[in-house]
Amino acid sequence: MCGIVGVVGDARAAEVLTEGLKRLEYRGYDSAGIAMVVDGHIDRRRAEGKLANLEALLRTSPLAGSLGVGHTRWATHGAPTERNAHPHATNRVALVHNGIIENYREIRAELTKLGYEFATETDTEAAVQLLTRYLDDGMSPEEATAALLGRLEGAFALGIVFTGRDDLLIAARRGSPLVVGWGDGAMYLGSDALALAPFTDRVTYLQDGEWACLTPGGATFLNGHGERIEPQIKRTSLTGPQAGKGDFRHFMLKEIYEQPTVIGETLNTYFNPVTRSVQLPECPFDFAVLPRITIVACGTSYFAATVARYWIESVAAIPVEVDIASEFCYRNVVLPPGGLAVFVSQSGETHDTLAALRYARKHGQFIAAIVNAPESAMAREADVVLPTHAGPELSVASTKAFTCQLVVLACFAIAAGVARGTLGHDAEARLCRAIAEVPARAAEVLNHDERLRQLAREICEARDVLFIGRGTSSAIAMEGALKLKEISYIHAEGFPAGELKHGPIALIDDSVPVIVIAPSDKLFRKTASNMAEVVTRGGKVTLISDAAGIESQGGAAAHCIALPTVDPFVSPILYAIPVQLLAYHVAVHNGTDVDQPRNLAKTVTVE
Ligand code: G6P
């Protein structure tokens, strides 16, 4: 999704902007640009495609100054061309924008009648021209911005600089995240704190509806009514080197390899190794009387929620509904009074999940957020936050955040089972032993990397790939298919194995690899029968199981991957890793842009 950076009062402004944009690259984008105020005049450089193109342009045609804004654009309205790239500008103002201005057509029509000429197809230009109109009417930049914010509809973040004002950068947030950074004699702006990490560790997160006027010496923060508010300044622990790839070729591989560590760190928050028991932060609800739990998420986080449904229903015997956030708000879902709604999100800022959270709040639910970004909107709006400690995840395809979400959800299920008395002491001890083992077993799973790389050579030729599994493994099958299509662009589908014969089996022939996710649990034999149905029809099966599973069925599969034998409760956490590695190696083999796959964004802040 679009990334915003801004700086005022730093003589290295052009470098600050390009460095900040590099650190936002992970969000996904298709063009980039910067605008600076030089000797009172706005000058800008924009380029289609990767940041390298913008950097090349800046080498031949540099910009110097201490005030500017920069942007990576993920196209919504208007093709990803240089003309539609941000910053958008007139002779009075330059602006960068993340989100969607919903009433842009109306504003555009109104301004066109007044003689304002539009140069692009973007919604953003409506904001630029409207600001220009207000400035033409004699308003100051601050007055014009206040008037603009009163007119715009939709969710957005803005960074604005003005002709003739070498000392002013305005930032505004309604929906899309924005962070102000405090430097010495300079102020910074970014879509997240990671973008600002090389320049400052003191930040203020703009809250929804707030805006700020930044000058070299500091900033004034205002609420939606234009009243001054006191900013809260926090220190972030994010540092420059955290954004590096280390010895890894891609962020995705680095993040896959970080999993044993970050799973361990997440587990440490919820699992006490001395008492060998799980503890959640204090919750405002009582598990014992909860009528229902509704879990809502998007993308990979939705598959973590899907696994959790099996866990919570079996361990805590509470009815669980799992929903895709973009559907949840619009299907008049009936929520029981006093129910619990859990929102799972790496970023904590995904537009649809946030909208679903607000819907659930309005409908009388307790709100829990499982997020990797503790300062995110979801974390702020929840009654209880259950953080994952995956650290910054920069590859668009989520890996370590997913397994850490699973760890939190597994602990959540155990805690719910204990609180409701549905999990006996022995069963609790068994699940706790199983979960405590996960970091070590995850490290063993990584030993299959080379084998998966070899297997990827076969898969990369395929046009379609199917993933199947039962129970929690059906969710891992779906996540495996999502990973593969996201980064290798090969068509892949994941199904509950029992559903295969109701349609997908028609796709099977000897050109379709089928990945079977089947730990030897109570559903293993049933999945094995479905695998046999595939083999009988010429399908090339890769069986991902454990030693016992492979010994019983391995002969039928073209390839086998033997993962460590673990309690079936924790198998989804471990079985996620080989499907991540497989997708990664297929993508590398096919030469796609692994960390920033085409058309995708890391954090989707538009509807
Ligand atoms: C995007 C990302 C996915 C992610 C999904 C949900 O589509 O590309 O990797 O799973 O958003 O994001 P969230 O931050 O809410 O987990």
Side-chain angles (χ1 to χ4, degrees), residues 1-3 24-30 50 72-76 98-99 298-301 345-347 349-351 393-398 482-483 486-487 489 593-607:
M1 227 34 21
C2 304
L24 293 173
E25 271 195 297
Y26 76 93
R27 297 162 72 93
Y29 68 103
D30 31 47
K50 292 289 170 196
T72 44
R73 173 174 188 248
W74 187 82
T76 59
N98 173 14
C298 298
T300 288
S301 300
S345 174
Q346 188 285 125
S347 61
E349 299 284 353
T350 300
H351 178 281
E393 189 182 65
L394 300 188
S395 167
V396 163
S398 183
L482 177 65
K483 281 287 87 77
E486 271 183 314
I487 60 168
Y489 318 147
D593 188 345
V594 173
D595 285 331
Q596 290 155 34
R598 69 183 180 203
N599 303 339
L600 294 179
K602 178 77 185 152
T603 305
V604 178
T605 47
V606 295
E607 195 160 12

